[in-house]
Amino acid sequence: MPCRTADGFFDAASGCYLTPVDSPSTLFGDGRPYKPGTKFYRCWKILDVVGGRPEGIERFESVIREPGEPATMDPREAARQVVATMNFVAPHLGLSPYVQSATREGIVNVPIWMWVTDPGQTTTGPQTKRATLGGVTIEANGTVDRIEWSMGGGKVVTCKGAGTPFSRADAAGKSLKDIADSPTCGHRYQKTSRCEKSGTYQVSATAYWNVHWTGGGMEGDIPLDFTRSVPLRVTDLRPVLVDPNGDPVKVITPPRRCA
């Protein structure tokens, strides 16, 4: 619904489009004195909205606003203020090597499972708040649209939900090549983090929220996002040669260079 039309500007408190006039119209005359600075408005009362267009009728009596009366807040500003009071928190991150590896290292080409360790109203939603500000009642409903995981090295994985937690039971009795990929949110690294800054990939997850609000005859959407990061070292497995007697064979491998 437009905030302004040929019939005036929308006023949430009266439900009218208001147009300034010089003197009031009343059904029973106008015998009472008005304070200096009192404003009078013609009211076009909204009865319905059809196809996005307001329908209504002009009301005979004027809307009268005396000095000092609280002005009706713009619903968009009221919505922004209500959303600012909602409690949103960047989610804490779970990565499968933190569960499975004593050294907290990922391994090249072994599945990494990613998930939110604290799913709930403040981290993954949904979250709802209703409040009245400046004569306008706003209801805001926040939902997480997606979580984007930046895995380092330019790789980004988009997940629709909080992900599936990984546990030691998912790897019990299995070789590394038999560990399954996450059914909801996962990644496989193709190279180590050895050449990255600090020797680790900086993994970050950004939760993208959309807060849809209604109130004062209007509605809208406010996008928000919240990010948290953790470092992850990724290594590869090096073969160890063993002679027939079971003794390790010393193999000298030249150091690899970072391109």
Side-chain angles (χ1 to χ4, degrees):
M1 189 167 66
C3 295
R4 184 178 295 275
T5 71
D7 295 294
F9 63 91
F10 179 70
D11 174 64
S14 63
C16 299
Y17 282 107
L18 300 183
T19 302
V21 293
D22 293 330
S23 59
S25 297
T26 65
L27 291 172
F28 304 103
D30 186 29
R32 68 186 179 93
Y34 291 102
K35 298 178 182 179
T38 297
K39 296 182 179 180
F40 312 105
Y41 299 93
R42 179 180 67 86
C43 165
W44 191 79
K45 182 71 174 180
I46 298 174
L47 302 178
D48 197 4
V49 178
V50 179
R53 297 175 62 86
E55 294 186 353
I57 188 171
E58 184 172 345
R59 197 172 76 185
F60 179 78
E61 286 197 325
S62 297
V63 171
I64 300 172
R65 296 282 167 77
E66 294 188 347
E69 288 188 5
T72 302
M73 184 179 293
D74 185 322
R76 293 166 296 185
E77 177 59 29
R80 284 191 286 269
Q81 292 190 27
V82 170
V83 171
T85 66
M86 297 174 73
N87 185 19
F88 299 104
V89 179
H92 285 86
L93 314 185
L95 296 169
S96 54
Y98 285 4
V99 175
Q100 189 65 18
S101 170
T103 56
R104 296 191 173 186
E105 291 182 343
I107 300 173
V108 169
N109 207 35
V110 174
I112 299 290
W113 292 32
M114 298 100 71
W115 70 96
V116 173
T117 63
D118 56 347
Q121 187 180 54
T122 60
T123 55
T124 55
Q127 183 178 164
T128 299
K129 185 159 188 178
R130 183 181 177 90
T132 299
L133 293 176
V136 181
T137 298
I138 298 294
E139 181 169 310
N141 297 283
T143 55
V144 171
D145 176 67
R146 67 194 186 279
I147 299 178
E148 289 188 357
W149 293 77
S150 176
M151 307 305 296
K155 300 294 184 181
V156 176
V157 179
T158 300
C159 301
K160 292 300 293 183
T164 303
F166 181 87
S167 69
R168 293 182 184 277
D170 293 307
K174 298 179 181 178
S175 64
L176 291 176
K177 67 181 180 64
D178 293 326
I179 295 177
D181 291 297
S182 167
T184 54
C185 188
H187 178 65
R188 288 176 183 251
Y189 284 97
Q190 300 302 311
K191 63 178 183 178
T192 73
S193 60
R194 187 177 61 87
C195 295
E196 299 294 317
K197 184 178 180 180
S198 301
T200 61
Y201 288 115
Q202 195 66 21
V203 178
S204 63
T206 301
Y208 288 91
W209 289 75
N210 182 65
V211 183
H212 183 75
W213 63 267
T214 57
M218 300 178 65
E219 62 180 297
D221 295 286
I222 297 177
L224 301 168
D225 61 84
F226 303 91
T227 302
R228 193 181 299 273
S229 300
V230 294
L232 175 64
R233 188 179 304 277
V234 177
T235 188
D236 55 359
L237 299 182
R238 309 301 299 275
V240 176
L241 300 180
V242 179
D243 69 15
N245 296 323
D247 297 323
V249 177
K250 185 176 181 180
V251 178
I252 299 177
T253 304
R256 289 168 294 179
R257 296 180 179 179
C258 293

